Amino acid sequence: MAGITVSSNPLVSVLVTSTANPYGVERRFERGLTIAGLKTKLELVTGAFSQTMKLTAFTAENKLVCALDNDDALLGSYPIDDGMILHAEDSNLKPDEYSDTSKVEKFEISDEEYKKRQDTVRAFKEKNKLGRFNEEEMKKKEEELKIKEAAEEEKAKSIKIDDRCEVRVPGQPARRGAVKYVGTTDFKPGYWVGVQYDEPHGKNNGTVEGRKYFECPDKYGGFVRPTHVEVGDFPEEGLNFDEDEM
């Protein structure tokens, strides 16, 4: 294959999928292996027959790379890199019947019976005092939550309706607007601040799950935690034109 650069790494690691197994298994192969030899090895992995097997390579994002259609060629002569997918098709194979979970018999157990078993994740956590079974850890988390809720409530008291504000949510750009609601909500516990943004950066019009907390144009409303809101003399966002650009 002209124009293909063969990697110096003698091995390549790929995900092998097939008609019978769409989930795949990871395998490593020598680049010096012929495609015919590769198909023979894949018989044990895919259940397909080497004589009728068709191999196709895809990127990890399922974009077609090429068909491995020359049995005499070396695997290394194809542009196959680590992490790619090799898919084996064979008309003699049937799709994996267990990919349809509706056909799988479900195992059910009562809560009481589950608690009695000693081979479960719950039993392991309870034995090793992990998560909710660690009283000291749970008390610490409860105290941290109370401190956080108290800080949210205290911050909420300092925010008034129609205050100009800047919303600063970690990982997101700062957005300016005006406060339109302060208090608790039905959609989530704790204190929330309803903001009408200067620009359509929001997710609603002040109504969430059928309850109207305030009114504003669609996509201009949003709710954030009080600790993410700073009130002050924040000029309204908008397009600023110089006189010679008008």
Side-chain angles (χ1 to χ4, degrees):
M1 299 178 65
I4 299 299
T5 302
V6 181
S7 172
S8 59
N9 190 336
L11 297 174
V12 61
S13 178
V14 295
L15 179 69
V16 178
T17 63
S18 68
T19 306
N21 181 9
Y23 305 106
V25 291
E26 291 186 2
R27 289 291 186 271
R28 299 177 71 187
F29 299 104
E30 295 181 357
R31 293 182 186 273
L33 191 66
T34 64
I35 299 303
L38 174 63
K39 288 181 177 180
T40 300
K41 288 182 176 293
L42 289 178
E43 283 186 335
L44 297 175
V45 180
T46 65
F49 297 104
S50 60
Q51 296 88 345
T52 53
M53 186 188 304
K54 292 183 180 180
L55 282 179
T56 311
F58 297 86
T59 66
E61 294 75 29
N62 284 314
K63 292 183 179 180
L64 177 64
V65 176
C66 64
L68 285 67
D69 50 7
N70 185 349
D71 285 349
D72 295 325
L74 299 180
L75 175 60
S77 67
Y78 288 91
I80 309 300
D81 293 324
D82 287 341
M84 285 188 175
I85 300 170
L86 287 187
H87 182 68
E89 291 188 22
D90 190 333
S91 58
N92 297 310
L93 288 178
K94 294 181 179 180
D96 179 14
E97 61 181 352
Y98 295 109
S99 60
D100 183 0
T101 57
S102 65
K103 299 179 181 179
V104 180
E105 185 178 354
K106 296 176 177 61
F107 174 74
E108 297 182 355
I109 185 172
S110 67
D111 289 340
E112 289 301 319
E113 288 298 320
Y114 182 73
K115 290 178 181 178
K116 294 177 182 178
R117 297 186 59 165
Q118 299 300 310
D119 58 348
T120 63
V121 174
R122 183 188 186 281
F124 175 80
K125 289 184 175 180
E126 188 173 10
K127 180 180 179 180
N128 293 277
K129 298 186 182 301
L130 300 175
R132 62 190 178 91
F133 299 104
N134 187 324
E135 293 184 6
E136 185 176 343
E137 181 180 344
M138 293 304 296
K139 287 181 179 179
K140 182 179 179 181
K141 288 185 177 180
E142 289 177 3
E143 291 175 358
E144 291 176 348
L145 181 59
K146 288 180 180 179
I147 293 174
K148 182 179 179 181
E149 290 177 345
E152 295 282 8
E153 182 176 0
E154 190 65 25
K155 184 66 181 291
K157 292 179 181 178
S158 68
I159 301 174
K160 303 294 186 293
I161 302 298
D162 292 330
D163 276 349
R164 286 293 302 170
C165 69
E166 187 169 78
V167 176
R168 303 168 185 171
V169 178
Q172 298 181 15
R175 299 169 180 173
R176 293 182 181 179
V179 175
K180 295 299 179 182
Y181 179 85
V182 182
T184 57
T185 67
D186 292 337
F187 56 83
K188 276 188 179 180
Y191 281 81
W192 292 84
V193 177
V195 177
Q196 178 176 336
Y197 293 109
D198 295 339
E199 297 181 349
H201 297 312
K203 296 182 178 179
N204 54 63
N205 61 357
T207 298
V208 179
E209 296 179 357
R211 177 181 170 183
K212 181 185 290 186
Y213 295 91
F214 63 93
E215 190 172 350
C216 72
D218 193 30
K219 301 299 183 183
Y220 278 78
F223 288 83
V224 292
R225 292 295 189 182
T227 50
H228 295 154
V229 178
E230 292 299 326
V231 298
D233 185 19
F234 295 106
E236 185 173 342
E237 288 184 326
L239 297 177
N240 295 320
F241 297 96
D242 293 330
E243 291 185 1
D244 57 354
E245 295 177 336
M246 297 296 288

